């Protein structure tokens, strides 16, 4: 293989790995959000079937857990954004300016997504999720399957 072909191969592999890492981060954030919504939904349904103070306490706990999950997902996106931004210079040196720009753009998008997640209420996130499922049911099923697989792997250990 000559030098240009090797460089092209390395660039393609680096781009592929970078894109895979971004997709994995996106899927993880969506899984965290889905888990938070599921927990909140479970607590809400449990609270609605039970009366008295326990229901109010369960609703409060569900909201706290959902908000914690939302903050965790937002924090994870922000951390990933910083990691990508911190490595953009290295990517640029090793792969070229175009890939450094890709990394910076990805970092900015991750940061914006984290901020948008942080600013939305749980009800807005639920509405967004319902709308997403209506528009793309196949993708939603795929994401749910992937999230289920990841959760099964986590709880198996």
């Amino acid at each position: 293989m000559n030098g240009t072909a090797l460089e092209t191969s390395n660039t393609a592999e680096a781009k592929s790995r970078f894109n895979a890492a971004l997709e994995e981060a996106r899927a993880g954030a969506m899984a965290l959000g889905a888990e938070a919504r599921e927990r909140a939904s479970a607590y809400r349904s449990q609270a609605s079937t039970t009366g008295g103070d326990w229901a109010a306490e369960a609703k409060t706990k569900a909201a706290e857990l959902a908000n914690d999950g939302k903050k965790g997902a937002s924090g994870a996106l922000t951390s990933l954004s910083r990691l990508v931004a911190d490595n953009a210079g290295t990517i640029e040196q090793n792969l070229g300016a175009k890939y450094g720009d890709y990394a910076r753009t990805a970092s900015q998008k991750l940061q914006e997504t984290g901020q948008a997640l942080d600013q939305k209420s749980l009800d807005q996130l639920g509405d967004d999720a319902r709308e997403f499922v209506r528009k793309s049911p196949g993708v939603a099923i795929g994401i749910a399957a992937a999230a289920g697989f990841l959760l099964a792997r986590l709880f198996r250990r």
Side-chain angles (χ1 to χ4, degrees):
M1 214 184 272
N2 64 27
T4 305
L6 181 60
E7 185 178 306
T8 302
S9 174
N10 288 343
T11 300
E13 181 181 345
K15 184 177 180 183
S16 174
R17 286 184 182 182
F18 181 73
N19 286 334
L22 285 177
E23 287 302 317
E24 186 177 324
R26 245 186 239 131
M30 291 180 84
L32 284 173
E35 179 184 353
R37 285 189 296 279
E38 286 175 16
R39 284 185 180 182
S41 176
Y43 278 111
R44 278 190 207 113
S45 66
Q46 204 174 32
S48 67
T49 60
T50 312
D53 294 336
W54 185 85
E57 185 179 320
K59 285 181 182 180
T60 302
K61 184 66 175 172
E64 288 173 9
L65 288 172
N67 280 321
D68 288 348
K70 184 179 85 147
K71 285 178 187 175
S74 175
L77 286 172
T78 301
S79 294
L80 182 61
S81 170
R82 278 191 229 119
L83 177 68
V84 171
D86 290 346
N87 288 301
T90 304
I91 291 169
E92 187 170 345
Q93 285 176 349
N94 292 337
L95 303 174
K98 183 168 87 172
Y99 295 105
D101 290 342
Y102 286 151
R104 287 181 191 88
T105 301
S107 173
Q108 183 180 5
K109 291 293 183 189
L110 287 168
Q111 181 70 29
E112 290 170 1
T113 302
Q115 289 172 348
L117 180 63
D118 212 22
Q119 293 171 354
K120 287 188 176 188
S121 71
L122 293 174
D123 290 335
Q124 289 171 323
L125 291 172
D127 292 342
D128 288 351
R130 279 189 283 283
E131 185 65 25
F132 176 77
V133 170
R134 273 189 219 110
K135 287 182 178 179
S136 306
V139 174
I141 290 170
I143 291 170
F149 174 76
L150 290 173
L151 290 173
R153 298 280 313 234
L154 286 173
F155 290 118
R156 190 178 312 162
R157 293 180 185 167

